[in-house]
Amino acid sequence: MEKKTIKIEEYLVEEEPYYLEVDKEKALFEAAYRNRIPVLLKGPTGCGKTRFMEYMSWRFKRPLITVSCHDDLTVSDLVGRYLVQGGETVWVDGPITRAVKVGGFCYLDEIVEARKDTTVVIHPLADHRRILPIEKRGEMLHAAPEFLLVISYNPGYQSVLKDLKQSTRQRFLALEFTYPGRELETEIIKHESEIDAPTAGRLVSFGDKTRNLVSAGLSEGASTRLLIHAAKLIHSGVDPKIACEVAISGTLTDDHEMIRALSEIIQSIF
Amino acid sequence: MPDTSQPNSEHLMEEIIKNMRLDFFENEEIIAVIDAIDSFDRHLRQKVLALCFALSHASSSLVSNTLKRISTAAQKLEPEEMERWFDDAADILESQGIDPFIDFVAKVPEDGLEPFMEPERLRLREVTGLLETYLMGISGLDLTIGTDSEPYTDTDTVYLPPVLSRSRVPQENLLLYVLMAAHKWGQIACGTLMVDLHEAPPEGPGTSGPEDDEAGPRGIEALFRQFPERAFAVDLFSLLEAFMLDSFLRKELPGLMSKAEGLKAEIFSERPRLEDLSEKSAFAEGIYHYYLSGNSKGTAPEALAKMRDKILSLRGATDPNEIVGVLFAAYDAAKELKGDYKPQRPVFFLGTIKPERVSRRLEAKREEAMKKLEGVITKLMNMPDFEPRRHRSDGPAVRAKPVRKDEEYLAIKGKIVALDEEINSRIKELGGVPGGVLVKGSDVESGSTYVTLKDLTDEEDEPQAKGAGVKYDEWDYKRGDYKRQWCSLFEVEIQPGEEPFVELVRKRHGGYIAALRKRFEIIRTVPKMLRRQKDGDCIDIDAAVEAFSDMRAGLSPEEALFVRTDRQERNIAVLFLIDMSGSTKGWINDAEKEALVLMCEALEALGDRYAIYGFSGMSRTRCEYYKIKSFDEPYLDSVKGRIAGIAPKDYTRMGAPIRHSASILNIVEAKTKLLITLSDGKPEDWGAYKGDYGIEDTRKALIEARERGIHPFCITIDKEAGSYLSHMYGETNYIVIDEIRKLPNRITEIYRRLTI
Ligand SMILES: Nc1ncnc2c1ncn2[C@@H]1O[C@H](COP(=O)(O)OP(=O)(O)O)[C@@H](O)[C@H]1O
Ligand SMILES: [Mg+2]
């Protein structure tokens, strides 16, 4: 029987991803990795966490294996399971197991979305033991020396049903991500969408103003990702005001008063 | 001099009362009618009286209903529109009789007023919320909108005119409001209202120099007091300022400012020609012209023409003091000009400046900060010379902490006191505290120990009377231990309120409630697919395949192989704990109640189990806990009556009520248990339950609740939420709502976000 092997190159990031450093996250990550301390990326959605991971795995030439967590995620989904193929049972590694074996970066995105009984499997991986128990096979897998576990978490969600447990979070080093400053963000938007600097500047200005409204009823301000979406629309010829309405205001809220206020702000900026 | 209409109107009033008496109306009803009539302004009151008089002859029962409609109309219409509506109503009554009149008046709540409204006008109150959100968005500041005849700001409130009808199109009038508001924000953001007394006064002592005023005003007001022709100087300043604001706003809000360009041309054409004005007035008007078009209409006085470049250069100003510089130059240049200064109408979207309002506001803020500081200083100075006496022998003395070398302390009355940063810097500003000196830790004798301000607050000194009720421990952070059985908590019946509060709120928020219910029903009815169940409606293919594979691999297969759809996946019980202390009196209490009404609607739609309790009390021997709705009780009239009956009582001792709530939640069967507290600031009670003591006990009670598997969430209504909050609430989620009117809408959203 042919074992399903992992082609490391499939997960290798070949080209240098575009990533602008916001604080000192590159150096901090590097230090964490040198010491094999698992990393928690904290921050609102769309502020560059995924991009950062792509960049870091390119930098260290490690395969990047990403799992987006959701509440149906089971331990088998992460660790692996038996499948029946041609009358034979075959064990297939899950993403964590693959990362552990090849010494990759395993990135569990939005970890709080996963159920608590699922998240506990990462505990022994995230401390000095660096082992992954594979219950079904009665095995303990020691992580390859290059392996690193990274999780992300958005503290903006206030739901009590989705809180990161202390026992989980205390195993990680926390890198705080926020929206890049005005200049950096303008630069990023220009790069990602190829629109001109003044328009990118106005988008950033609008983004900033939506973030002012978080205490007034928006659950989150516009992320860099949303600004890039709007920028791309503008680049393909959509009127900037409409682009902002559909790509930003409309996705941020359903509240009519708020949408009206946002649209006044858009009118004032563009 | 007596009002000639008085005898007549008093006579009418008496007649109405007489007629109502004849129709067997109760005294209270009659008084209500009199009050309603008296609530109108004089002019309208007279007419209303005449109308009511006529009605009371037909039937007194018409009077009070009609009065309600008239009040509604008066709220919705501008005075001149109201007049037209009222005259029509009176005409109908006179010429067509009672029934058509009743029809006419009955249409008020629907569309009956529309024919009387000027179609294009936009009233501020229709867009206040929108504008406040807009301002918060562009500025990041929590500015309030107020009403006044001209736009101006005191740096906290932006005043705008009550109605705009400049344009025929309402949308354009909104743009004008936005433009005004943006300029006011510009003033705040550029700091042009923060200018202060300038170095070089224009000439000798002003109208009121600092010498004849022992504590003269500060800030922008002081600046303008130097000018003998104050009004002229203020106008010049606001004109010159416009150049700086213009370029700032172009950068920040380019879209808005490009729309302003068209307006400027329009306004320019309406401005007077310079030749038609006195030289002095022309000087100021000329600057308007420069601002609006870059050039003047008619020949500018030479004194102004010479300054044109200097004035236009303010477009590049980055420091408000540059404006002050040009102001002095311009004021000087205009000194010799002939004629009086007659202010022209200001460019409406620029508005005006009210230096006295700005200074007063800033002064008020400064005073608040000083008061806080004074409180702390007084505490320091009145501190006993020796270690505070211990009332209880079982507690250890104030815990001594060794002084750290790199910290700064206040040495006072033989003690070394640690201060927080804010107090420290203020004491420095003041130049010290009587009887105390600031010292560095390294300068203190080694081995010394320090105390904190809170250590010095004395312990409660109360009679040990212990009544019945439920006993709760209380955390004494100074001893680092609980005071056992310290508080007595009594469950108290709440007196149902008399007015139909709940119904009124439901009526007022009808549309909102419908939307709210829908929002929450969606959460409830979304069926949830539960996978890998031991039993269920159909087979979970993934699980089955896995089990099969496991079996083939020689493992014992998993038994949970089914999928079940579940609508009752939400298994949440929530207890609302409402602050009924005296400090909630007025708005806060109303907002809390209103919030509860909306919350009940939402929870009924959602189907979550909920209970509501209130708390207040006076000292540890009487913590009162009011039942408004228990978990088992349905949301019926009895509950509604109790909500209406929620009223401010005494103090806020939070620890015991939180502990009691936790015990109630503890015996409820639910997967997720939430305790949501709603309070208005620091816990405080008679005796020693204040400051850090109350904070620490509250904190501890919340920690205990968490340990019992309860999720506490705290909502604090506080204009200036202190830094103590994050400590008090610790890991507990909390939110500060700085404006109570936002509470009712926010609370439901908070709840939704907490539980999805
Ligand atoms: N610092 C950054 N450098 C480069 N691109 C960034 C940066 N921050 C955000 N972006 C852009 O924003 C987009 C969304 O970021 P992403 O990494 O997907 O966010 P997250 O994972 O935090 O939700 C990225 O695709 C990238 O285009
Ligand atoms: Mg992501």
Side-chain angles (χ1 to χ4, degrees), chain B residues 345-508:
Chain B
R345 225 157 26 99
V347 171
F348 69 92
F349 62 75
L350 292 179
T352 53
I353 294 178
K354 302 211 171 177
E356 68 286 1
R357 297 295 299 270
V358 175
S359 287
R360 227 186 297 149
R361 187 66 228 142
L362 295 179
E363 197 54 44
K365 281 191 198 165
R366 218 170 286 134
E367 254 166 42
E368 262 166 48
M370 284 312 284
K371 267 222 192 83
K372 244 195 210 164
L373 173 60
E374 269 164 27
V376 172
I377 292 178
T378 320
K379 196 191 250 177
L380 279 176
M381 292 189 331
N382 295 336
M383 206 166 63
D385 279 344
F386 303 99
E387 284 299 315
R389 216 158 24 88
R390 311 307 306 172
H391 296 280
R392 299 172 60 88
S393 50
D394 53 345
V398 170
R399 203 162 319 142
K401 303 153 203 104
V403 164
R404 272 182 286 176
K405 283 198 170 13
D406 45 350
E407 298 274 307
E408 212 167 17
Y409 298 90
L410 179 72
I412 187 168
K413 305 209 173 171
K415 271 192 281 289
I416 311 289
V417 183
L419 303 171
D420 70 24
E421 228 167 89
E422 190 191 330
I423 294 174
N424 207 346
S425 73
R426 287 207 172 260
I427 288 184
K428 269 189 201 154
E429 254 172 52
L430 278 184
V433 183
V437 274
L438 289 173
V439 291
K440 228 162 148 95
S442 51
D443 296 338
V444 182
E445 220 180 299
S446 72
S448 305
T449 54
Y450 74 88
V451 289
T452 58
L453 281 177
K454 46 197 175 194
D455 290 337
L456 299 167
T457 348
D458 213 346
E459 195 181 314
E460 200 159 17
D461 181 19
E462 257 186 86
Q464 299 274 316
K466 284 186 186 176
V470 192
K471 295 273 192 297
Y472 282 100
D473 296 351
E474 188 166 278
W475 177 253
D476 181 350
Y477 77 101
K478 281 182 268 179
R479 298 167 30 189
D481 196 4
Y482 286 98
K483 288 175 174 153
R484 302 286 162 200
Q485 310 279 299
W486 189 248
C487 296
S488 308
L489 181 139
F490 301 86
E491 284 204 21
V492 184
E493 276 293 314
I494 205 163
Q495 266 319 95
E498 287 181 2
E499 52 168 344
F501 182 87
V502 174
E503 289 315 315
L504 287 175
V505 172
R506 279 166 63 155
K507 221 172 264 163
R508 184 145 28 96

Side-chain angles (χ1 to χ4, degrees), chain A residues 76 81 87 89 136 159 212 268, chain B residues 134 137 255-256 546 552 756:
Chain A
S76 302
R81 53 166 53 92
T89 53
K136 290 218 167 129
S159 178
N212 285 337
S268 290
Chain B
Y134 175 86
L256 181 66
E546 214 172 300
R552 293 289 296 259
I756 50 173

Side-chain angles (χ1 to χ4, degrees), chain B residues 682-748:
Chain B
K682 278 191 202 181
E684 195 151 31
D685 193 5
W686 191 77
Y689 202 87
K690 49 176 68 83
D692 287 305
Y693 186 92
I695 290 173
E696 295 296 330
D697 179 50
T698 306
R699 176 181 149 85
K700 198 74 178 177
L702 289 168
I703 292 174
E704 292 160 26
R706 273 182 89 89
E707 280 165 2
R708 295 169 93 164
I710 294 164
H711 297 281
F713 186 89
C714 304
I715 301 176
T716 296
I717 309 160
D718 199 348
K719 190 78 193 157
E720 40 192 291
S723 48
Y724 67 94
L725 281 180
S726 66
H727 174 70
M728 179 163 89
Y729 293 146
E731 268 180 47
T732 302
N733 285 318
Y734 72 97
I735 192 162
V736 181
I737 293 183
D738 56 359
E739 263 185 273
I740 37 175
R741 68 190 163 81
K742 294 184 188 151
L743 174 71
N745 295 357
R746 290 291 298 283
I747 192 171
T748 50

Side-chain angles (χ1 to χ4, degrees), chain A residues 45-46 49-50 107 109-110 152 225:
Chain A
T45 175
K49 298 185 295 292
T50 304
Y107 179 44
D109 202 2
E110 299 285 4
S152 80
R225 182 190 299 127

